[in-house]
Amino acid sequence: MLDNISYFIRRALRNMRQWPVLCSAAILTMAVALATMATFFLVVINIQGLATSWSEEVQVVAYFQYPPAGNQLAPLIRKVEAFADVKQAIYITKTEALKRFEARLGDDAGLLEGVSRDLLPASLEISLKSGSHNREGVARVVAELKKDSRFDDLRFGQEWLERFENFVDLLKFVGLVLGSFFLLAALFIVSNTIKLTLYARRDELEIMALVGATKRFIQIPFLLEGALQGLASGVCALGFLTLAYKLLLQKSLQTFWLTPVGFDPIFLNGNQQLILVLCGILLGSLGSLVSLRKFVRL
Amino acid sequence: MLDNISYFIRRALRNMRQWPVLCSAAILTMAVALATMATFFLVVINIQGLATSWSEEVQVVAYFQYPPAGNQLAPLIRKVEAFADVKQAIYITKTEALKRFEARLGDDAGLLEGVSRDLLPASLEISLKSGSHNREGVARVVAELKKDSRFDDLRFGQEWLERFENFVDLLKFVGLVLGSFFLLAALFIVSNTIKLTLYARRDELEIMALVGATKRFIQIPFLLEGALQGLASGVCALGFLTLAYKLLLQKSLQTFWLTPVGFDPIFLNGNQQLILVLCGILLGSLGSLVSLRKFVRL
Amino acid sequence: MIQLFNVTKSYGKENVALREMTVHIEKGEFTYVTGPSGAGKTTFLNMLYGACKPTRGQILINGINITRMSGRQIPYLRRKIGVVFQDYKLLNSRSVYENVAFALEAQGKKRYEVSKRVYKALKEVGLEHRLQRKPIELSGGEQQRIAIARALVVEPLILLADEPSGNLDQEVTLEIMELFKRANARGTTVLLATHDHSLYKRFPKRVLGLEDGRLIMDHQP
Amino acid sequence: MIQLFNVTKSYGKENVALREMTVHIEKGEFTYVTGPSGAGKTTFLNMLYGACKPTRGQILINGINITRMSGRQIPYLRRKIGVVFQDYKLLNSRSVYENVAFALEAQGKKRYEVSKRVYKALKEVGLEHRLQRKPIELSGGEQQRIAIARALVVEPLILLADEPSGNLDQEVTLEIMELFKRANARGTTVLLATHDHSLYKRFPKRVLGLEDGRLIMDHQP
Ligand SMILES: Nc1ncnc2c1ncn2[C@@H]1O[C@H](COP(=O)(O)OP(=O)(O)OP(=O)(O)O)[C@@H](O)[C@H]1O
Ligand SMILES: Nc1ncnc2c1ncn2[C@@H]1O[C@H](COP(=O)(O)OP(=O)(O)OP(=O)(O)O)[C@@H](O)[C@H]1O
Ligand SMILES: [Mg+2]
Ligand SMILES: [Mg+2]
């Protein structure tokens, strides 16, 4: 058995050495396909990462009709923070509110000069727990707050939230469609390349069968070869991706988002890198297998 | 000669019929490569289109210390509109300015209730000619305006403009890099596919040479075949792209931009569609040519 | 050993290569198969190692009906049979050594044993000095001898040799015939398809004569 | 017609296939090339149609030095030469008709002329009923005859036939020899490499004997 395995590996390696053109063609084709897919994946997870960091900003603002008295404030905050969806509630005084409004107006802040310091109401800024950054979570919190008559007005950017959620859904959908398209294209190209490789070597397959080799005996070295080529292509793709990311993508992503919150571009983590290489191996062996079934008829 | 051409075409077609696997493999590989590149191109031209429509909004706002008298306004506007970079100047009264500010605050507009109607100054909104939507154009206009003491303050979003220009530059750069990467990948995969195709048919090439066929006689049908396959793949890619655009991209692009200005997603125009198909033909014939030079040695 | 009952093989409708052939060949027999070009000699041999199935009729080898054999079992049948193909069927991308070793490796033989036996077989056909060449770098006759070495290296129960001396000069032909006779003496059943009258005149053995797919002669010396 | 001066062909360092061969063959001559397996017969013929170049020495065909010929001119040389390859070199993916027509199409012949001449050539080798088959669906001898038809269909100035009867029975061999003799009578220079002693005993012509790459015999009947 061990003898057999070493024989198969030797034959796979010998094949690859003997047909450097075919071998490198298959490897590079797979590497290109894998790198393309991984690039798309990177873009999608980065957008999603950004989306998550954006959605962390989702909060409900409750305006007071009259600023609460000093001793009423603490129990109120405790009460609000006890809601299932709420992470934290922060009190914003009138002065602070105006300061923020000025900051938000930016260039236009000068326009507020001379306006009464009382202009804006005091409020409670309520941030939500990570599971509740969506329409339902906001709705539940708003419903609870409405029961309290001390709140004059509630702001929660309903419209913005909906639009944002639609956008993320769309993004996922586009990513899925493009992703499957590329996966299919990659599989197709790879299995074609391997089919051509095998086609160019059909005499070999025929003669092996004629001298009494079993189907498995014929197929295993080719499968191994496919797997090895897949491994090589996975490593190539990973190397290419790392380089591209370091030199190009990282910077471009950072600028692209013009990110308001501190968001670091994400690269593939250890597991995902492993998966990429495994995908290569799978692609190579599957491609070989599919094509072999066509060529090794006994 | 005519006899020869018809013979070459017949042989190219016969070859393609005889090797449907090889033929469709080459066609589909090229189609995938072309479609990928064209998709990237579409995304880039759409972002650029959006960028252009965004940059049309670039304008300089000049605030008056005191609203100009009725008879002074018209000459002033004429003077400003005479600047080389200026397309149009529009006078905004104090009331109108406040109305706009309210609209801009959106949900927060309630906060301005009771504020004096005089809060905001009157201004001149100066839009620029299409060639001047950049830092230099804005700088020239601002320099001119500064000479006029009636203007209290000038706003032109310098910072935003810089950031935006950087972004567009980056986009072009990333597009170029990704584009060339895909072009190279496509060329590589196609020439490999064709090389494998020819490799699988090396006996044919050898025997042709042995019975006295000239190099050209051997190569032309393969070149023709490459060109025909390229044509087919170009048409496939175009069809796929149109379908994808109609079903998916158009909608997604529209939503994606959350476009503030009326911006219609762009599809390839007639010329570009032609170029895509021509690219296919070029790809096919070039791929054949490069590979043939390796295989047809006499 | 080999029994054919009413075997007919036709390609397409009207193209009949073998017609109602019934023949028995004993274990250890040496048999010539002769007949003009296109008589069906190759078709006959092809069916014995499962390269094609008869359209009608049954073929028994060692008592096993190979017309009913599944694809899984055919390799095991072939391991008992050495074949010298009319067109050699050598791999031009592999060395002579590898071509011959192939037949043994396919049977899962140990590396050491493979190299010993391959060397011996190549020596027998007089080509031990061509070990590392590619078949395409050999003369026609040398290629034919490689094909013979590959068939003999597995020490088969049955040897099917299709025109094994077509590209060999008389001297080498005699040597090869000696090899076949020696294998036959060790118990191998030999079937040798040939046009060469002088061959079976010089080494008289049983002769099966085919013509147009029919067995028209079965002559025991 | 064909003149060789001190032609040596070696593959690698010590593997010499032809040694210092000098021979003249007149226009319209019929010459056998004989010698044991590996003597250099195929190498000799290969050099005449430019498949390989001599390591040393000069070859003149029709007064033209083909050792100095560029790759561009070789096709035009080959159009004057019909070759029957030892391993046939037929295209298995093409029909018999196409295989034979190929040689004419490569010379840019008109379609009508091609079909007429192909049909005639196939008829001469007795295979006009195999027109639409693939070579792989033919017997060894039939393939050999297709290769002969392809060589003759171009009505060559020189015919190089490498072991053209290795897979043919005596009867067909005689027919083929008749074809060669008829072509020879029309003026074609014929070189026929063979092991078959009986062939040049039956049709006595000039015999060149090779051994180990050396010309050891040049016998005129
Ligand atoms: N795959 C095939 N498809 C169709 N016809 C075939 C096929 N193989 C053989 N034939 C036909 O069957 C007949 C017998 O062929 P076979 O190869 O058995 O002859 P053979 O006796 O070996 O002849 P040779 O001495 O020339 O090799 C021939 O007429 C041939 O054309
Ligand atoms: N491409 C090659 N590379 C290396 N050696 C070669 C090559 N072709 C032929 N030889 C060697 O040159 C010698 C002569 O070969 P050639 O094919 O001319 O012999 P031949 O007379 O045709 O023999 P046969 O009758 O067996 O066909 C042989 O020893 C062969 O091994
Ligand atoms: Mg036969
Ligand atoms: Mg030879």
Side-chain angles (χ1 to χ4, degrees):
Chain A
M1 195 57 210
L2 213 77
D3 211 56
N4 254 345
I5 291 174
S6 94
Y7 171 72
F8 286 139
I9 292 177
R10 256 185 299 131
R11 222 173 72 206
L13 288 176
R14 195 176 45 187
N15 272 347
M16 288 167 73
R17 244 180 301 130
Q18 199 148 30
W19 307 89
V21 179
L22 300 186
C23 174
S24 57
I27 290 180
L28 280 166
T29 304
M30 282 195 272
V32 167
L34 283 174
T36 308
M37 276 175 47
T39 306
F40 267 83
F41 177 73
L42 263 189
V43 169
V44 167
I45 58 167
N46 272 289
I47 293 185
Q48 283 203 335
L50 181 75
T52 310
S53 79
W54 274 348
S55 78
E56 246 135 53
E57 289 181 61
V58 169
Q59 57 181 16
V60 176
V61 182
Y63 294 96
F64 293 101
Q65 194 156 18
Y66 309 102
N71 59 345
Q72 275 181 9
L73 187 62
L76 182 63
I77 289 180
R78 266 201 303 278
K79 180 188 154 195
V80 170
E81 285 187 342
F83 295 169
D85 296 295
V86 172
K87 195 169 80 186
Q88 207 184 9
I90 295 172
Y91 179 64
I92 309 290
T93 62
K94 288 185 167 209
T95 333
E96 214 168 333
L98 194 70
K99 229 184 270 165
R100 284 195 181 187
F101 189 50
E102 279 174 358
R104 193 172 150 203
L105 289 180
D107 275 356
D108 297 322
L111 307 177
L112 289 178
E113 265 166 42
V115 163
S116 148
R117 298 284 99 189
D118 262 5
L119 181 67
L120 300 177
S123 62
L124 212 53
E125 276 185 12
I126 302 161
S127 56
L128 305 183
K129 283 190 181 146
S130 57
S132 308
H133 289 127
N134 49 38
R135 242 175 303 164
E136 295 79 38
V138 170
R140 279 195 299 271
V141 172
V142 167
E144 283 295 329
L145 290 175
K146 275 200 174 145
K147 293 180 191 155
D148 197 318
S149 63
R150 274 169 298 185
F151 295 120
D152 175 37
D153 196 3
L154 296 167
R155 292 272 155 70
F156 41 89
Q158 187 75 40
E159 198 187 320
W160 179 80
L161 200 63
E162 267 175 42
R163 204 197 274 171
F164 177 69
E165 281 183 7
N166 284 342
F167 172 63
V168 170
D169 282 352
L170 184 85
L171 201 72
K172 281 185 191 162
F173 176 65
V174 171
L176 200 75
V177 170
L178 278 180
S180 1
F181 168 68
F182 272 100
L183 189 73
L184 275 180
L187 251 177
F188 175 79
I189 290 179
V190 167
S191 89
N192 255 332
T193 307
I194 294 181
K195 204 180 290 162
L196 285 176
T197 322
L198 289 175
Y199 185 81
R201 279 148 78 169
R202 59 198 182 282
D203 336 357
E204 199 171 331
L205 296 173
E206 187 205 346
I207 291 173
M208 278 198 260
L210 284 178
V211 298
T214 57
K215 214 164 170 169
R216 188 169 303 156
F217 184 86
I218 298 173
Q219 289 183 336
I220 286 178
F222 285 100
L223 268 183
L224 255 173
E225 197 182 327
L228 281 176
Q229 289 176 347
L231 176 70
S233 71
V235 171
C236 276
L238 192 62
F240 169 79
L241 217 65
T242 313
L243 222 80
Y245 179 76
K246 282 268 148 62
L247 295 183
L248 185 77
L249 225 66
Q250 195 171 25
K251 224 168 151 192
S252 83
L253 282 175
Q254 255 164 348
T255 324
F256 180 78
W257 305 134
L258 305 166
T259 166
V261 284
F263 170 70
D264 276 331
I266 310 168
F267 190 63
L268 302 175
N269 62 30
N271 270 343
Q272 287 163 339
Q273 298 185 4
L274 200 70
I275 288 174
L276 180 67
V277 175
L278 286 179
C279 267
I281 297 178
L282 204 74
L283 209 64
S285 8
L286 262 184
S288 292
L289 196 65
V290 169
S291 315
L292 271 171
R293 291 168 59 95
K294 275 202 66 170
F295 279 101
V296 185
R297 291 193 217 92
L298 284 180
Chain B
M1 195 59 206
L2 213 77
D3 211 58
N4 253 346
I5 291 174
S6 94
Y7 170 71
F8 286 140
I9 292 177
R10 257 185 298 129
R11 223 175 72 204
L13 288 176
R14 194 176 49 185
N15 271 347
M16 287 166 75
R17 245 180 300 128
Q18 198 150 30
W19 307 89
V21 179
L22 298 186
C23 174
S24 57
I27 289 179
L28 279 165
T29 303
M30 281 194 274
V32 166
L34 284 175
T36 307
M37 273 175 48
T39 306
F40 267 83
F41 177 73
L42 262 189
V43 168
V44 168
I45 59 169
N46 272 289
I47 292 185
Q48 283 203 334
L50 181 73
T52 311
S53 78
W54 272 348
S55 77
E56 246 135 55
E57 289 182 60
V58 170
Q59 57 180 17
V60 176
V61 181
Y63 293 95
F64 292 102
Q65 195 157 17
Y66 309 103
N71 59 344
Q72 275 180 10
L73 187 62
L76 182 64
I77 288 180
R78 267 202 300 281
K79 178 188 153 195
V80 169
E81 283 186 343
F83 295 170
D85 298 295
V86 171
K87 193 169 81 188
Q88 207 184 11
I90 296 171
Y91 180 63
I92 309 290
T93 61
K94 285 187 170 209
T95 332
E96 210 168 333
L98 195 69
K99 229 186 268 166
R100 283 197 184 188
F101 189 49
E102 276 174 1
R104 191 170 152 204
L105 287 180
D107 274 357
D108 298 322
L111 306 176
L112 289 179
E113 263 165 41
V115 163
S116 148
R117 295 283 102 185
D118 262 3
L119 181 67
L120 299 178
S123 63
L124 211 56
E125 274 184 14
I126 302 160
S127 55
L128 305 183
K129 283 193 182 143
S130 58
S132 307
H133 289 127
N134 49 38
R135 241 175 302 162
E136 295 80 36
V138 170
R140 278 195 299 273
V141 172
V142 166
E144 284 295 331
L145 291 174
K146 275 199 174 146
K147 294 180 191 154
D148 196 319
S149 62
R150 276 170 295 186
F151 296 120
D152 176 37
D153 198 2
L154 295 166
R155 290 276 154 69
F156 43 88
Q158 186 74 40
E159 198 188 319
W160 178 80
L161 199 64
E162 268 176 41
R163 209 199 270 170
F164 176 70
E165 283 184 6
N166 284 341
F167 171 64
V168 171
D169 282 352
L170 184 85
L171 201 73
K172 281 185 192 162
F173 176 64
V174 171
L176 200 76
V177 170
L178 278 180
S180 3
F181 169 67
F182 272 99
L183 189 73
L184 274 180
L187 251 177
F188 175 79
I189 291 178
V190 166
S191 89
N192 255 331
T193 307
I194 294 181
K195 204 180 290 165
L196 285 176
T197 321
L198 289 175
Y199 186 81
R201 280 148 77 168
R202 58 197 183 284
D203 334 359
E204 199 171 329
L205 296 173
E206 188 205 344
I207 291 171
M208 279 198 257
L210 285 178
V211 298
T214 57
K215 215 163 170 168
R216 190 169 301 158
F217 184 86
I218 299 173
Q219 289 183 337
I220 286 177
F222 285 100
L223 268 183
L224 255 174
E225 196 181 329
L228 281 175
Q229 290 176 348
L231 175 71
S233 70
V235 171
C236 275
L238 192 61
F240 169 80
L241 217 64
T242 314
L243 221 81
Y245 180 76
K246 283 267 146 60
L247 294 182
L248 187 78
L249 225 65
Q250 195 170 26
K251 225 169 149 192
S252 84
L253 282 176
Q254 254 163 349
T255 324
F256 180 79
W257 306 135
L258 306 163
T259 164
V261 285
F263 170 69
D264 275 332
I266 310 167
F267 190 62
L268 303 176
N269 62 31
N271 269 343
Q272 286 163 340
Q273 295 183 8
L274 200 72
I275 287 174
L276 181 67
V277 175
L278 285 180
C279 268
I281 297 178
L282 204 74
L283 209 64
S285 7
L286 262 184
S288 292
L289 195 66
V290 169
S291 314
L292 271 171
R293 290 168 61 94
K294 274 202 67 170
F295 279 100
V296 185
R297 289 193 219 93
L298 283 181
Chain C
M1 189 74 176
I2 301 173
Q3 295 165 290
L4 277 80
F5 298 102
N6 289 318
V7 169
T8 297
K9 174 72 192 177
S10 50
Y11 299 99
K13 245 180 261 169
E14 9 178 341
N15 180 13
V16 186
L18 277 187
R19 291 169 211 267
E20 299 286 331
M21 186 155 168
T22 300
V23 70
H24 293 233
I25 294 166
E26 297 302 319
K27 186 167 163 51
E29 232 180 321
F30 194 119
T31 311
Y32 292 102
V33 183
T34 62
S37 175
K41 303 181 291 297
T42 302
T43 307
F44 172 46
L45 298 187
N46 276 349
M47 281 191 302
L48 298 183
Y49 66 90
C52 60
K53 294 212 165 182
T55 314
R56 275 192 305 281
Q58 308 298 328
I59 302 174
L60 273 69
I61 291 185
N62 251 345
I64 300 162
N65 189 334
I66 66 162
T67 47
R68 301 239 183 91
M69 220 171 215
S70 76
R72 287 182 151 280
Q73 296 170 294
I74 284 182
Y76 300 98
L77 166 69
R78 289 189 181 158
R79 291 182 187 184
K80 300 200 200 96
I81 302 178
V83 188
V84 183
F85 299 94
Q86 194 169 9
D87 52 355
Y88 319 153
K89 292 200 192 293
L90 298 173
L91 281 173
N92 282 325
S93 54
R94 300 259 184 245
S95 71
V96 163
Y97 174 88
E98 285 173 315
N99 264 286
V100 179
F102 221 54
L104 288 173
E105 284 167 357
Q107 306 192 1
K109 291 278 184 289
K110 292 262 178 306
R111 215 171 159 187
Y112 170 74
E113 196 189 342
V114 168
S115 71
K116 212 177 60 183
R117 282 169 66 176
V118 169
Y119 192 76
K120 185 164 155 273
L122 286 174
K123 199 161 184 174
E124 280 182 338
V125 298
L127 287 175
E128 72 278 14
H129 55 297
R130 296 279 191 262
L131 225 55
Q132 290 312 323
R133 289 268 191 91
K134 300 272 155 68
I136 206 158
E137 299 165 353
L138 296 177
S139 79
E142 286 165 342
Q143 289 181 30
Q144 194 157 39
R145 282 182 276 165
I146 303 298
I148 291 169
R150 185 180 60 189
L152 286 174
V153 77
V154 295
E155 294 177 357
L157 284 180
I158 302 174
L159 178 74
L160 308 176
D162 199 351
E163 210 71 61
S165 62
N167 278 308
L168 299 179
D169 52 290
Q170 224 165 358
E171 210 173 313
V172 182
T173 303
L174 296 187
E175 284 170 30
I176 295 299
M177 282 304 289
E178 277 309 317
L179 279 180
F180 289 163
K181 277 166 61 185
R182 233 182 297 154
N184 184 237
R186 284 196 302 265
T188 300
T189 312
V190 178
L191 267 94
L192 202 157
T194 186
H195 306 108
D196 197 347
H197 296 284
S198 64
L199 214 59
Y200 52 86
K201 272 174 200 145
R202 191 186 273 258
F203 304 98
K205 299 280 183 184
R206 180 180 180 188
V207 179
L208 299 177
L210 294 179
E211 203 174 296
D212 200 19
R214 279 199 192 79
L215 185 65
I216 54 157
M217 178 178 82
D218 187 347
H219 174 261
Q220 205 82 29
Chain D
M1 189 73 177
I2 301 173
Q3 295 165 289
L4 278 81
F5 298 101
N6 289 318
V7 169
T8 297
K9 174 72 191 177
S10 49
Y11 299 99
K13 243 179 263 167
E14 7 177 342
N15 179 14
V16 186
L18 276 187
R19 289 169 213 264
E20 298 286 330
M21 186 155 167
T22 300
V23 71
H24 294 232
I25 295 166
E26 296 304 319
K27 187 164 163 54
E29 232 180 322
F30 194 120
T31 312
Y32 292 102
V33 183
T34 62
S37 172
K41 303 181 291 296
T42 301
T43 306
F44 173 45
L45 298 187
N46 276 349
M47 281 190 304
L48 297 183
Y49 66 90
C52 60
K53 296 214 163 180
T55 314
R56 275 193 305 280
Q58 309 297 328
I59 302 174
L60 273 70
I61 291 185
N62 251 346
I64 300 163
N65 190 334
I66 66 162
T67 45
R68 301 239 183 91
M69 220 171 217
S70 75
R72 286 183 152 281
Q73 295 170 293
I74 284 181
Y76 300 98
L77 166 70
R78 289 188 182 160
R79 290 180 187 185
K80 301 199 200 96
I81 302 178
V83 188
V84 182
F85 299 95
Q86 194 168 9
D87 52 354
Y88 317 153
K89 293 202 192 292
L90 298 174
L91 281 173
N92 282 324
S93 54
R94 301 259 183 244
S95 71
V96 163
Y97 175 87
E98 286 173 314
N99 265 285
V100 179
F102 220 57
L104 288 173
E105 284 168 356
Q107 306 192 1
K109 290 278 183 292
K110 293 259 178 305
R111 217 171 156 186
Y112 169 74
E113 194 189 342
V114 168
S115 72
K116 210 177 61 182
R117 282 169 68 174
V118 169
Y119 192 76
K120 182 162 156 276
L122 284 174
K123 198 161 184 174
E124 280 181 337
V125 297
L127 287 176
E128 74 278 13
H129 55 296
R130 296 279 191 263
L131 225 56
Q132 290 313 323
R133 289 268 191 91
K134 299 274 154 68
I136 206 158
E137 299 165 354
L138 295 177
S139 78
E142 286 164 342
Q143 288 182 32
Q144 195 157 38
R145 280 181 277 163
I146 302 298
I148 292 169
R150 185 180 61 189
L152 286 173
V153 77
V154 296
E155 293 176 357
L157 283 180
I158 302 175
L159 178 74
L160 307 176
D162 199 351
E163 209 73 62
S165 61
N167 279 307
L168 298 178
D169 53 287
Q170 226 165 356
E171 210 172 311
V172 181
T173 302
L174 296 186
E175 283 170 29
I176 294 301
M177 282 304 289
E178 277 309 317
L179 279 180
F180 289 163
K181 275 166 64 185
R182 233 182 296 153
N184 184 236
R186 283 197 302 267
T188 301
T189 310
V190 179
L191 267 94
L192 201 158
T194 185
H195 305 108
D196 198 346
H197 296 285
S198 63
L199 213 59
Y200 51 85
K201 273 176 197 143
R202 191 187 273 257
F203 304 97
K205 298 279 182 186
R206 179 179 180 190
V207 179
L208 298 176
L210 293 178
E211 203 173 298
D212 199 19
R214 279 201 191 80
L215 184 66
I216 55 158
M217 178 177 84
D218 187 348
H219 174 261
Q220 205 84 29

